[in-house]
Amino acid sequence: MLKPSLARYTAWLSTASGCPSCFQYIFPIASRPWRQPDIEANEKLGELPYVNARGFVDFRPSDPENPRNWSRPRCWYICGVAIFLALNGTVASGLSSGCADAVASHFGVSTVAANLTTTLFVAGYCGGPFLFAPLSEFYGRRWLVYFTFSLYLAFTILCAVAPNFASLLVGRFLSGLFVSGPLCAAPGIVADLWDPLVRDNIMVLFALAVWAGPSLGTVAAALLADAKDWRWVFYFALMLGAVTVAAMVTVPETLAASILKEKAQRHRQAYTSGRESWKTEEEASTVSLLATYKTAMVRPWALLFDSISALCAIYMGVVFLLQFMLFSVYPIIFHEKRAAGWSTTNAQLPLLGAVVGALIGAVFILFDTRRRGRVFQRRGYLVPEDHLRNAKIGGIGFPVCMFWFAWTGQYGAVHWIVPTLAGTFLSASLMLVFLAVVNYIVQSYGQYSASIIAVNTFARSAGSAAAPLFTNAMFAAMGVGGGGSLVAGVAALLSACPFVFSRYGETIRARSKYTAFGVAKPPTEEPAGEEHPTSYSNVERESSR
């Protein structure tokens, strides 16, 4: 007869809410019993755990421990916190751009050297998918976010009190590296909680945070540096982070594999006989963390040279290159070209038009998601090319709006609202391209989506990091019109990619060893109790078979 260990069982219940027990009294929302009913009703003492057809501990149908069965308000709250965590990182990426002149003056360095604070922060993003994504799949989302975000705040403190320029550079690089942890975890949290069609809508909010955050950070930094000094820019980042921490500690674990592992461990501790056989599929797997890291480090570079991946990486690199170029171009257009009445600080305010453009793009994407939902209902499945409609529209809008922005910004006699409106529609176009391309490669590469996102993130971060180092020199030599025309010309060439993929994408995928499976009609729902396809451990296990 099975005999429960009540002491161990009671101890587990004290932390069953998914957050540290000390916070349950401070944040009651963190201890709502979305997991305890499973203990009290479905798994009463003396009952065996639920196992699936393969003999592994799994979720019951309608199991309240399954993140997909949590209440909608709770799921929205968790996603909101995850997106706010990501917003911290994207806002911080633009902070140095708004106070570069103040930093250069304080430390006696050139403006190009001061812009290294932006370059190194964004360069830190490159390490996130390779270092932290495997950890989030191996150990879960929650503790990875706690650990990396705490270190981000610690190194932001170093930036705020930096005694010399070298320590500021070190602080910026390490804070960028560690804030990439929450940026990697946030899409995974969304995927843990929602089915694919709803997930697309929520990912629009995540993309909005990614796209609008740097512009908001640049404007906020310019205002703070003008009103106080450049150190207040980092104090602001710390204040924003402190508010985020208060919400962060209320978020439970969302990765199904980690919850099931806790579930199996709970049963092994609560019963005295036969407990060794109660394991999850993850625990039974022989894949080690080292093997997972090997996959995470090697496979993305192999995927980089696949045709679809390569073109999308170049396209995203150019899109994010332009985004960070704009932080240097706006002061040229609105301060140097329109000196009368336009201070350095005021010259950053038109960047708010880019935020409005991101909102316009987000609304457009939400309507397109509804269109794809109708396609799914009619056809019964979606193919990767269904995501490319927005990329076609944004791809055409990118060079058109860039020409508009550059040549109306070239002449100070043109009213300031004209280039501002051009920047608004340029931002909307880039937002459409960004999210459409990301969705396209994720569905195209299916089980390799974690690796393809890693290499695409690297390309985006590399473009963003390079922009501050040459933008001022480029536009000084070529002029706003000439420099903008060069960017627009490259964008015009790349705008053909969505049309080519839409017409020949299925044929291209059929010839690739990484995307050939994508020709078949893909499922849009993951079976209950299975891992999300972006799991590194799942990918490694499948390849080892």
Side-chain angles (χ1 to χ4, degrees), residues 19-20 22-30 74 77 80-82 84-85 88 145-146 149-150 153 238-252:
C19 73
C22 60
F23 291 114
Q24 296 180 31
Y25 301 101
I26 305 173
F27 304 102
I29 193 173
R74 184 60 184 170
Y77 170 77
V81 175
F84 198 55
L85 281 162
N88 274 259
V145 170
Y146 286 2
F149 195 75
S150 298
L153 292 178
L238 291 170
M239 294 175 194
L240 185 64
V243 173
T244 307
V245 166
M248 179 183 72
V249 296
T250 68
V251 173

Side-chain angles (χ1 to χ4, degrees), residues 255-325:
L255 184 65
S258 294
I259 296 173
L260 286 171
K261 194 181 298 183
E262 289 183 15
K263 188 185 188 81
Q265 183 180 4
R266 181 177 75 236
H267 280 291
R268 290 195 296 267
Q269 291 177 347
Y271 301 100
T272 57
S273 62
R275 60 190 178 187
E276 295 84 1
S277 63
W278 296 336
K279 293 181 179 181
T280 66
E281 189 168 0
E282 193 75 16
E283 291 176 302
S285 172
T286 58
V287 177
S288 65
L289 181 60
L290 181 62
T292 304
Y293 263 111
K294 182 180 178 181
T295 300
M297 295 294 182
V298 175
R299 180 174 289 155
W301 305 112
L303 287 169
L304 175 61
F305 298 100
D306 198 58
S307 54
I308 292 176
S309 172
L311 287 173
C312 289
I314 293 170
Y315 205 173
M316 288 296 94
V318 172
V319 166
F320 277 75
L321 173 74
L322 176 61
Q323 183 191 29
F324 277 77
M325 288 178 72

Side-chain angles (χ1 to χ4, degrees), residues 127-464:
F130 302 99
L131 293 177
F132 302 128
L135 288 176
S136 74
E137 300 293 346
F138 220 81
Y139 296 110
R141 323 284 190 202
R142 180 173 48 134
W143 293 108
L144 173 75
V145 170
Y146 286 2
F147 174 73
T148 55
F149 195 75
S150 298
L151 286 176
Y152 155 71
L153 292 178
F155 286 109
T156 301
I157 293 174
L158 173 60
C159 295
V161 300
N164 52 58
F165 187 60
S167 59
L168 177 60
L169 294 179
V170 171
R172 283 294 281 171
F173 174 74
L174 292 176
S175 59
L177 175 65
F178 287 111
V179 84
S180 66
L183 279 167
C184 289
I189 291 173
V190 174
D192 293 338
L193 298 173
W194 301 98
D195 61 68
L197 287 177
V198 179
R199 186 191 310 157
D200 284 351
N201 288 330
I202 300 174
M203 285 305 296
V204 172
L205 301 178
F206 174 75
L208 184 61
V210 169
W211 196 258
S215 298
L216 290 173
T218 301
V219 173
L223 294 173
L224 285 168
D226 185 56
K228 296 286 186 179
D229 64 36
W230 65 270
R231 295 187 189 273
W232 274 90
V233 172
F234 298 105
Y235 296 152
F236 166 73
L238 291 170
M239 294 175 194
L240 185 64
V243 173
T244 307
V245 166
M248 179 183 72
V249 296
T250 68
V251 173
E253 180 58 66
T254 61
L255 184 65
S258 294
I259 296 173
L260 286 171
K261 194 181 298 183
E262 289 183 15
K263 188 185 188 81
Q265 183 180 4
R266 181 177 75 236
H267 280 291
R268 290 195 296 267
Q269 291 177 347
Y271 301 100
T272 57
S273 62
R275 60 190 178 187
E276 295 84 1
S277 63
W278 296 336
K279 293 181 179 181
T280 66
E281 189 168 0
E282 193 75 16
E283 291 176 302
S285 172
T286 58
V287 177
S288 65
L289 181 60
L290 181 62
T292 304
Y293 263 111
K294 182 180 178 181
T295 300
M297 295 294 182
V298 175
R299 180 174 289 155
W301 305 112
L303 287 169
L304 175 61
F305 298 100
D306 198 58
S307 54
I308 292 176
S309 172
L311 287 173
C312 289
I314 293 170
Y315 205 173
M316 288 296 94
V318 172
V319 166
F320 277 75
L321 173 74
L322 176 61
Q323 183 191 29
F324 277 77
M325 288 178 72
L326 291 178
F327 301 146
S328 298
V329 174
Y330 268 80
I332 296 174
I333 291 176
F334 294 100
H335 176 60
E336 296 180 12
K337 299 292 184 181
R338 293 168 173 77
W342 287 88
S343 65
T344 305
T345 302
N346 291 341
Q348 298 285 8
L349 293 178
L351 268 172
L352 294 176
V355 178
V356 174
L359 288 169
I360 293 172
V363 172
F364 195 93
I365 293 168
L366 288 174
F367 280 107
D368 187 68
T369 301
R370 296 177 64 182
R371 177 193 65 82
R372 283 187 284 111
R374 291 192 297 269
V375 171
F376 172 73
Q377 291 176 352
R378 182 178 67 253
R379 189 198 294 162
Y381 64 93
L382 294 173
V383 296
E385 287 72 30
D386 290 327
H387 293 282
L388 290 175
R389 179 179 176 181
N390 285 341
K392 294 176 185 177
I393 297 171
I396 295 173
F398 182 178
V400 171
C401 293
M402 190 63 210
F403 276 118
W404 175 13
F405 177 77
W407 287 104
T408 56
Q410 171 74 26
Y411 304 104
V414 178
H415 194 277
W416 63 269
I417 195 63
V418 180
T420 301
L421 287 174
T424 298
F425 289 104
L426 176 62
S427 178
S429 299
L430 297 177
M431 175 84 168
L432 293 177
V433 173
F434 164 53
L435 199 55
V437 170
V438 168
N439 285 332
Y440 176 65
I441 59 176
V442 165
Q443 189 169 351
S444 291
Y445 288 88
Q447 63 176 335
Y448 302 125
S449 57
S451 296
I452 200 66
I453 285 296
V455 74
N456 195 264
T457 300
F458 180 87
R460 299 197 311 257
S461 300
S464 302

Side-chain angles (χ1 to χ4, degrees), residues 441-508:
I441 59 176
V442 165
Q443 189 169 351
S444 291
Y445 288 88
Q447 63 176 335
Y448 302 125
S449 57
S451 296
I452 200 66
I453 285 296
V455 74
N456 195 264
T457 300
F458 180 87
R460 299 197 311 257
S461 300
S464 302
L469 300 181
F470 67 85
T471 301
N472 285 328
M474 171 181 165
F475 279 81
M478 301 182 66
V480 174
S485 296
L486 176 61
V487 176
V490 174
L493 294 175
L494 291 172
S495 66
C497 291
F499 293 92
V500 172
F501 291 150
S502 181
R503 178 67 178 84
Y504 302 106
E506 185 172 339
T507 303
I508 296 172

